[in-house]
Amino acid sequence: MNHSETETARVTVLTVPGCPNAPLIRERITEALQGRAVPVEWIEVHDTDEAVRQGMSGSPTLLLDGVDPFVPDGAAASLSCRLYRHADGITDGAPSVTDLRRALRGPNRSC
């Protein structure tokens, strides 16, 4: 496969229990991976201390090798619902499939 960096990246999703956007981000990650078998670790975060330790800035938070590629500047650790703004201006509870594909490819790859 030609996306070896995606296959070796550690993909983690942080959510609060019962996060209403967990199914949406799961669906979009699956679509972004385009059938590649990449393990995704799902971690429920229960308190602010754990959110700080894990690097969670709202639920859901996606981490690639421990780094949040979508974190806004100055974002603090949070257990609140997180919204993602897409290139077309729409805001919802998960990164777009396009944004996920870009993040999964890494910063040094072009479309």
Side-chain angles (χ1 to χ4, degrees):
M1 291 186 181
N2 60 1
H3 291 282
S4 61
E5 69 280 351
T6 299
E7 294 164 356
T8 59
R10 190 179 73 228
V11 180
T12 306
V13 179
L14 307 173
T15 65
V16 296
C19 175
N21 292 312
L24 179 62
I25 196 169
R26 183 184 301 269
E27 175 184 310
R28 289 184 181 170
I29 289 170
T30 299
E31 187 174 341
L33 290 172
Q34 299 174 313
R36 290 185 300 265
V38 177
V40 178
E41 181 179 14
W42 293 81
I43 299 174
E44 282 193 351
V45 177
H46 298 274
D47 60 50
T48 304
D49 290 341
E50 187 177 1
V52 170
R53 280 193 310 277
Q54 296 282 358
M56 181 179 190
S57 56
S59 183
T61 291
L62 174 76
L63 301 176
L64 299 177
D65 291 328
V67 176
D68 183 345
F70 302 107
V71 67
D73 290 337
S78 173
L79 297 173
S80 64
C81 284
R82 181 165 174 183
L83 295 176
Y84 293 81
R85 183 171 307 280
H86 307 297
D88 60 6
I90 292 176
T91 302
D92 70 8
S96 69
V97 172
T98 300
D99 290 342
L100 285 166
R101 284 183 182 145
R102 187 176 302 117
L104 289 163
R105 273 198 313 268
N108 298 323
R109 308 278 327 243
S110 59
C111 294

